[in-house]
Structure formats: structure tokens, C-alpha cells
């Protein structure tokens, strides 16, 4: 029965790599993090040091997101505490739903996901401030397997493709990955 739904596993891989919106209603009380929303009164000029710090913080958040997602996937834990350390909605909800879906279908992610991110733009004057990230993700060694047998789920193979993400600065000063997309039609 599971092998009849390879498209479902492709959706799971894509969600883990931050593709497409998924609407969901949470049932668990959770603190929500809001991006900075007060517009500055005057246009600001940011120093190279401020931009460099934003780039570094965004890349740290992105790397943390990938690591936390891998750990949460291996454990089948959509509420793994590290996820909220690096992710914000709507991406946080999409990742949690993908982990829960895999767990409910007796699957988990295993292996190595290779990432090579770069910052493509920094917008510190925007409300909220954002950093755009582009990555060449190599998912050839990152497999969706059945938890009991460790056999690869048919149709869940990965490859090398472009991925993009947005890091957003929140009111508490943290940079969190809030959105992203895997562009599987764009190899890298």
C-alpha cells in the first residue's frame, strides 16, 4: 500500500526542503514569534559590518534549520525543540507537518544532506529585515526509508537542486528561517 503513493513521499522531501505553502491549524498552545513590524521614520544607511552580521546570522539560522530538521526527521518528532530555535512560520508549520506525515506512514529520513548556501541579498531597511539565501542542496545521500525495514521508500530519491530561503529578523533580534522553496527542476 505504501509503495502506491510515491508522490506523497516526494511532497515530504520537498516540504523538508521548504517548498510550497501548506495551511494548517495548530492544536498545541505555542508562543508565536512576530517579525519586526514598526516602520522606521527615516531611511537608514547600514554599515558593511551590520550587513556582514546579518549575512552571518542568516546563514547560521539556515544551517541550524537543516540540522534541526534532520534530527527531528530521524526521531520522528515534529515538535523537536531545536526547530523553533531556527524556524518561524509558515515554514515551521510545513516542516512539522512533513515530519508528522512521514511518521504516520512509518517512514523517516536518514543519511546525509549536503548544503552549500550563499546569501543573495540583504534588506536591512525592509520591515521586517530579511536576508535571501540560495543553496545547492545535494540530497542524493538523504533518503526516506521505512522505519521498520530501513528500505528506501519508492519514488523518494533525491538529487542535486537549487533551494532558496528567507531569513527574517524578529523583534527579539533573532534571525529565523521563515520561508523557502526547493527548485527540483533547477539542478546545480
Amino acid at each position: 500500500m505504501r509503495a502506491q503513493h510515491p508522490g506523497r513521499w516526494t511532497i515530504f522531501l520537498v516540504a523538508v526542503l521548504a517548498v510550497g505553502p501548506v495551511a494548517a491549524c495548530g492544536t498545541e498552545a505555542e508562543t508565536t514569534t512576530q517579525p519586526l513590524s514598526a516602520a522606521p521614520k527615516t531611511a537608514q544607511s547600514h554599515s558593511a559590518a551590520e550587513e556582514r552580521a546579518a549575512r552571518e546570522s542568516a546563514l547560521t539560522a539556515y544551517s541550524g534549520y537543516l540540522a534541526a530538521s534532520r534530527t527531528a526527521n530521524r526521531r520522528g518528532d515534529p515538535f523537536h525543540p531545536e526547530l523553533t530555535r531556527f524556524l518561524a512560520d509558515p515554514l515551521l508549520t510545513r516542516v512539522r507537518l512533513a515530519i508528522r506525515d512521514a511518521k504516520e506512514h512509518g517512514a523517516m529520513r536518514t543519511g546525509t544532506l549536503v548544503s552549500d548556501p550563499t546569501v543573495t541579498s540583504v534588506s536591512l531597511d525592509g520591515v521586517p529585515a530579511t536576508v535571501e539565501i540560495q543553496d545547492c542542496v545535494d540530497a542524493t545521500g538523504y533518503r526516506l526509508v521505512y522505519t521498520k525495514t530501513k528500505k528506501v521508500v519508492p519514488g523518494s530519491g533525491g538529487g542535486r537542486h537549487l533551494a532558496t530561503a528567507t531569513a527574517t529578523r524578529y523583534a527579539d533580534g533573532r534571525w529565523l528561517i521563515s520561508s523557502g522553496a526547493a527548485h527540483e527542476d533547477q539542478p546545480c
Side-chain angles (χ1 to χ4, degrees):
M1 177 88 171
R2 289 184 182 127
Q4 294 174 359
H5 301 288
R8 177 173 284 170
W9 300 118
T10 301
I11 291 169
F12 172 74
L13 173 62
V14 171
V16 168
L17 297 176
V19 158
V22 174
C25 297
T27 57
E28 179 177 304
E30 183 175 311
T31 304
T32 58
T33 305
Q34 298 296 321
L36 293 173
S37 59
K41 300 277 183 196
T42 60
Q44 298 177 355
S45 175
H46 297 281
S47 70
E50 290 171 311
E51 286 196 22
R52 187 172 40 258
R55 287 173 183 268
E56 290 172 8
S57 295
L59 288 172
T60 297
Y62 183 76
S63 175
Y65 147 57
L66 293 179
S69 293
R70 285 190 302 266
T71 300
N73 272 294
R74 266 193 316 276
R75 295 180 182 172
D77 182 4
F79 291 97
H80 187 277
E82 288 292 300
L83 292 174
T84 57
R85 185 171 168 207
F86 300 105
L87 288 165
D89 279 322
L91 185 57
L92 175 60
T93 297
R94 292 193 340 249
V95 168
R96 284 178 166 169
L97 287 171
I99 294 167
R100 187 185 74 197
D101 187 49
K103 183 178 179 179
E104 287 175 355
H105 290 92
M108 64 180 235
R109 286 261 164 218
T110 187
T112 304
L113 181 68
V114 180
S115 172
D116 186 25
T118 58
V119 170
T120 58
S121 71
V122 177
S123 176
L124 297 178
D125 291 330
V127 180
T130 59
V131 173
E132 299 298 326
I133 298 169
Q134 182 173 301
D135 193 0
C136 180
V137 176
D138 183 352
T140 55
Y142 193 56
R143 298 286 186 204
L144 184 65
V145 298
Y146 292 115
T147 306
K148 290 183 181 179
T149 65
K150 303 298 186 238
K151 290 185 179 181
V152 175
V153 173
S156 67
R160 292 176 51 92
H161 61 273
L162 178 69
T164 55
T166 301
T168 303
R169 184 172 58 200
Y170 286 78
D172 62 2
R174 293 184 303 158
W175 286 89
L176 302 173
I177 305 302
S178 57
S179 66
H183 307 279
E184 292 181 341
D185 60 332
Q186 297 179 32
C188 55

